[in-house]
Amino acid sequence: MMLKSFPLIAVLFLSACSSFNPTTWLTAHRMDVQQGNYVTEDAVSRVKTGMTRPQVKFLLGTPLLADIFHDNRWDYAYRIERQGKATEEKRLTVYFDKDVVSRIEGQAFPALRPTLDNTNPNAGQR
């Protein structure tokens, strides 16, 4: 009887394990913490000098930091903390002169990949 139920017990035990990493067995689960604006390179490439503040806000979103003492700049900051990985930070600053973009400094995340595989003509079809 015990020998017949062993495969069933083994399958149930192994299916309950979401991760087989012994170093994480005794640690508490930590959620990913994301803060700020996730700005990609393709969004930044659309921002050109001479654009107005509303145009920039449309492309990049509302800035995380808009300092009243430095009204000529918007700061887009992003930080993510993941369990077991190094903290990742990016900061992008858009400078304005007379309410139009004069320059952009900083880093953005790589452009997002398309969801469909362009090499497969049947990708995305049902």
Side-chain angles (χ1 to χ4, degrees):
M1 176 74 173
M2 181 70 163
L3 197 54
K4 290 181 181 180
S5 62
F6 179 75
L8 177 63
I9 293 171
V11 168
L12 290 174
F13 177 76
L14 291 175
S15 66
C17 297
S18 62
S19 172
F20 198 72
N21 185 353
T23 61
T24 61
W25 288 352
L26 299 176
T27 60
H29 173 72
R30 290 181 45 197
M31 295 182 61
D32 293 347
V33 178
Q34 301 178 33
Q35 296 176 319
N37 302 86
Y38 188 88
V39 178
T40 60
E41 291 172 348
D42 56 344
V44 174
S45 68
R46 294 182 194 140
V47 178
K48 306 292 183 205
T49 56
M51 283 186 160
T52 64
R53 290 177 189 257
Q55 291 172 322
V56 174
K57 190 181 282 189
F58 178 78
L59 293 173
L60 301 180
T62 304
L64 182 66
L65 302 170
D67 189 357
I68 60 171
F69 297 109
H70 300 100
D71 192 37
N72 62 337
R73 67 186 260 181
W74 282 354
D75 293 303
Y76 292 87
Y78 183 80
R79 176 185 172 110
I80 184 166
E81 297 176 12
R82 294 185 181 119
Q83 185 175 355
K85 295 184 180 178
T87 300
E88 195 171 355
E89 295 184 48
K90 301 281 184 180
R91 185 180 186 115
L92 181 81
T93 304
V94 180
Y95 292 93
F96 295 93
D97 184 25
K98 298 178 184 171
D99 286 337
V100 295
V101 175
S102 61
R103 73 181 194 274
I104 302 169
E105 293 179 356
Q107 298 176 328
F109 285 93
L112 297 174
R113 295 182 194 157
T115 56
L116 295 177
D117 182 8
N118 293 334
T119 60
N120 183 358
N122 297 323
Q125 296 179 359
R126 294 182 186 226

